[in-house]
Amino acid sequence: MAFALLLGAGLVMAQIGKLLKLPSVTGYILAGVLLGPSGFGLISGETSGDQLRHFSEIALMLIAFGIGEQIEFKEVKKVLRSVGYIGVGETTGSFILVAVSCYLVAVFSGVGGGTWQFVDYLVLALLLGAISVATAPATTLHVTRELGARGPLTSTLLAVVAVDNGLAIMYFGFAVAAVNNLLVSGNGSFAHTVLVSLREIGFSLLLGASTGMVIGYVLHRLKNKGEMLSAGLALLLLCGESARMLHLSPLLAGMAAGCTIINHDKRDVRLFRAVRDFEPPVHILFFTLAGSHLNLAAVSYAGWLGLAYFLFRIVGKISGAWLGGKAAGAPRIIQSCLGHALTPQAGVAIGLVFLVSGNPALSGFAEIITPVVLTGVVLSELVGPILTRFALHRAGETGGVVVECGAGPSSPDGSMDQKKRQNLMRSNDGVVILPWTWKKLVPPAEQDGVVIFGASHYATVGGLARLATIIAHYFHALPMAVRVQKPKVVIREPEKLFFRETDETRAMGYPLLKKLVRDKDVADGISSAVLEENTKCLILGYPIEGTIQGFQKVVEQVAEKAVCPVVVIRFYGILHTERILVPLADMEQLEEVSAIVKALSLVGEHSITLLRLLPYDHPVRDVADNEKILTDWIAQHEIVCKKFCCKIVSSDSRLETIYREAENHDLVVMGAPKRSRFQRLIFGSLAEAVSKDCHKPMLIVHNPEQTP
């Protein structure tokens, strides 16, 4: 129940946060606050502290492992001097300023109730200083992508962010080692503290590097993605728990494991990909759980201490980056702007707070550190993106193409968001029909029925007429334009209503039959025309005007009454029919679209790809069996075209596979499933789903139960 509440609430609050231009992490934290003891109390302290503690440790290991992936020596070497100086400068700046300021504020504000001694204040200052070093690479990356930022500042920023949290973990490892030594031996010597810290850091890195080597050895012998994920997680968790048992740093060990794998000569990154697929719900649970630990009753402890942590961390980042950039001889704009872009703070800082909370020797300090750091994280996630935008704008590096994080596939002609794409599809510019350039078709000597198309808008009627003529040519029929008008509408010259479609069919070599139907209801009018004529096929086009829902209802009504195939055309951009893609979720769909595919193959020079979509876990023999069925079908129907291709794909996402294949084709042809409205509501329709976001013209074929 706790997992369900944390996942659901975290996701909902993240979506609300997006509407307010807040990072997702902020939404997760706020969701945790609402669920925890300070909110509705649905997640108790016992649940979040004891029962879910191991989950937090798993999430921290994955975070550290992901950080290690970013530390690729070959890339770091290119900007090693600037990144090294700036990284050390900004981390040291924030560590020193936060530690000193928090020490002074804690002493003067009487934190500890008068029972604390010098060592206690020093421990608190060292831990807060170490935690302040961490940044939020996800937030920074989101802002740079959102602004389309490119240039020296952006490149240096991303490189610094990549190594920043590695440095943060090292600072924290040093600080915890020093703190443990101070608490055990009082004011122990500085030299002893340094040696103990270096030993802990060294053995942590050694354990992580060894784990990385073992993971690389094991993964090289595994082929299945699920096996890789299971084996990789087992070894990572074993590494983390071993580090805890040996009193080492699990975060340093996890980072070293990832760094070892990414820098290995074989560079097998399949585990990183598998873990990334596993991470999203883990991150939601982790950060929401972190928010549930925030006890608002203890925020009074944050007070001036929280404000000092937040403000001096920003000052430390800005001044440290300036000093580091100056020492490295970096351009002036990098010196003055880079520190502002390093102010966001989120995941790793919260993870470090969890480590403090999980250490029995530091539990008394955790009650103060937790609200201070979480308050700083929330403020940093609110102010940080603004300062990052300011830095990139000031550097003049925000003129690139805007790429929205988490967006779906972009259009082939550039980055176009869904709203603009939908507006294009519903405008005159979204339907472009080039003049007919192939030789004229020869009408049948004896007409055998008609192919009807609905003529409702001048922007689409030319494309409807062209496809109706191609299909009519296959059926030895004639194209017929049908326009439905309300009974009381007076039309003085009906022939002028059909001038565009008449010109199109005449250019192709065919005459056009015309019919004006008087009816209040469009669906009834078209259905009556279909029943009155010997109709071989009915063609309807997606509307330029009106609503998609209203049009879908018309299609359903007509398809229920029609005794012939109903082909729905969704236009997008330029109408070409040379390269045709026919996705097939099952072999029954091949017969449903066969007439349309054969009709298109008879005209001009076409290439047709039959794309058979198999589940990703189907055995290899199914691929060969399906390929033989498709090859036999081609031979049986004697289809002659420029090129015929049978492609069998094992896919874990049918939509993405179709979108990817459609990029290399001009027209997509799919069959609609024969399902009731209730079945479509529950199981959906692949063809309709593809039509919503496919960047190519598309034909959806609805067949009657019994086609004559």
Side-chain angles (χ1 to χ4, degrees), residues 92 369 514 593:
T92 304
I369 290 174
K514 312 172 191 68
V593 300

Side-chain angles (χ1 to χ4, degrees), residues 370-697:
T370 299
V372 168
V373 174
L374 290 182
T375 301
V377 165
V378 172
L379 293 175
S380 296
E381 284 294 89
L382 292 172
V383 176
I386 299 173
L387 291 177
T388 304
R389 286 188 177 94
F390 163 77
L392 294 171
H393 277 300
R394 185 179 174 188
E397 296 184 4
T398 59
V401 178
V402 176
V403 179
E404 184 176 350
C405 290
S410 61
S411 63
D413 53 349
S415 179
M416 182 183 297
D417 61 34
Q418 186 173 0
K419 185 175 181 180
K420 290 182 179 179
R421 184 165 57 250
Q422 292 295 337
N423 290 338
L424 173 63
M425 290 167 58
R426 303 298 303 281
S427 69
N428 298 344
D429 295 334
V431 184
V432 180
I433 305 167
L434 299 179
W436 180 263
T437 56
W438 288 324
K439 67 178 182 179
K440 290 188 175 184
L441 305 177
V442 179
E446 295 184 7
Q447 174 192 347
D448 183 19
V450 296
V451 172
I452 292 177
F453 64 96
S456 61
H457 199 285
Y458 75 94
T460 60
V461 74
L464 294 172
R466 176 170 296 184
L467 288 164
T469 305
I470 292 174
I471 296 172
H473 184 67
Y474 167 75
F475 283 112
H476 302 288
L478 293 179
M480 172 181 282
V482 173
R483 186 179 291 270
V484 179
Q485 293 286 354
K486 294 182 179 180
K488 296 182 179 180
V489 175
V490 178
I491 302 175
R492 292 185 174 84
E493 299 180 70
E495 285 292 321
K496 290 187 177 180
L497 293 175
F498 301 96
F499 75 95
R500 188 166 186 181
E501 50 266 49
T502 302
D503 292 342
E504 180 62 30
T505 57
R506 185 181 296 131
M508 298 175 68
Y510 262 70
L512 177 67
L513 303 178
K514 312 172 191 68
K515 188 164 190 170
L516 187 64
V517 178
R518 298 286 186 172
D519 202 303
K520 295 180 180 179
D521 186 82
V522 174
D524 290 341
I526 293 176
S527 299
S528 64
V530 169
L531 295 174
E532 290 170 4
E533 303 288 340
N534 179 17
T535 308
K536 300 295 184 182
C537 184
L538 170 64
I539 300 178
L540 301 174
Y542 263 62
I544 294 294
E545 300 171 342
T547 64
I548 296 296
Q549 292 77 11
F551 172 72
Q552 204 63 43
K553 187 178 294 186
V554 170
V555 172
E556 292 173 1
Q557 293 174 358
V558 173
E560 287 177 0
K561 299 177 182 179
V563 293
C564 64
V566 177
V567 179
V568 178
I569 305 176
R570 199 227 54 184
F571 294 95
Y572 186 90
I574 300 175
L575 177 63
H576 285 297
T577 61
E578 285 84 351
R579 298 175 300 171
I580 302 167
L581 177 67
V582 186
L584 302 167
D586 56 64
M587 286 302 181
E588 292 180 359
Q589 293 181 352
L590 187 57
E591 289 303 322
E592 293 174 0
V593 300
S594 61
I596 305 304
V597 172
K598 287 186 281 188
L600 292 168
S601 69
L602 294 176
V603 178
E605 296 181 353
H606 288 91
S607 64
I608 300 175
T609 300
L610 300 180
L611 178 65
R612 176 68 172 99
L613 301 168
L614 295 177
Y616 73 95
D617 56 352
H618 264 223
V620 176
R621 66 173 181 272
D622 283 359
V623 175
D625 293 344
N626 279 272
E627 188 171 5
K628 186 177 185 304
I629 293 173
L630 293 178
T631 305
D632 292 343
W633 183 85
I634 294 170
Q636 177 186 352
H637 289 81
E638 299 180 349
I639 297 178
V640 180
C641 62
K642 182 180 178 181
K643 180 182 178 182
F644 222 117
C645 174
C646 300
K647 193 167 186 178
I648 316 296
V649 178
S650 297
S651 172
D652 54 3
S653 172
R654 289 176 175 175
L655 276 177
E656 295 301 322
T657 302
I658 294 172
Y659 291 151
R660 186 169 58 249
E661 293 293 332
E663 291 180 2
N664 299 317
H665 292 80
D666 302 316
L667 180 69
V668 179
V669 181
M670 294 188 70
K674 297 175 183 177
R675 290 175 178 167
S676 64
R677 293 184 185 179
F678 177 76
Q679 288 175 318
R680 285 199 299 275
L681 178 65
I682 301 299
F683 301 108
S685 166
L686 179 61
E688 292 175 5
V690 171
S691 71
K692 291 179 181 178
D693 206 27
C694 184
H695 305 152
K696 300 291 180 178

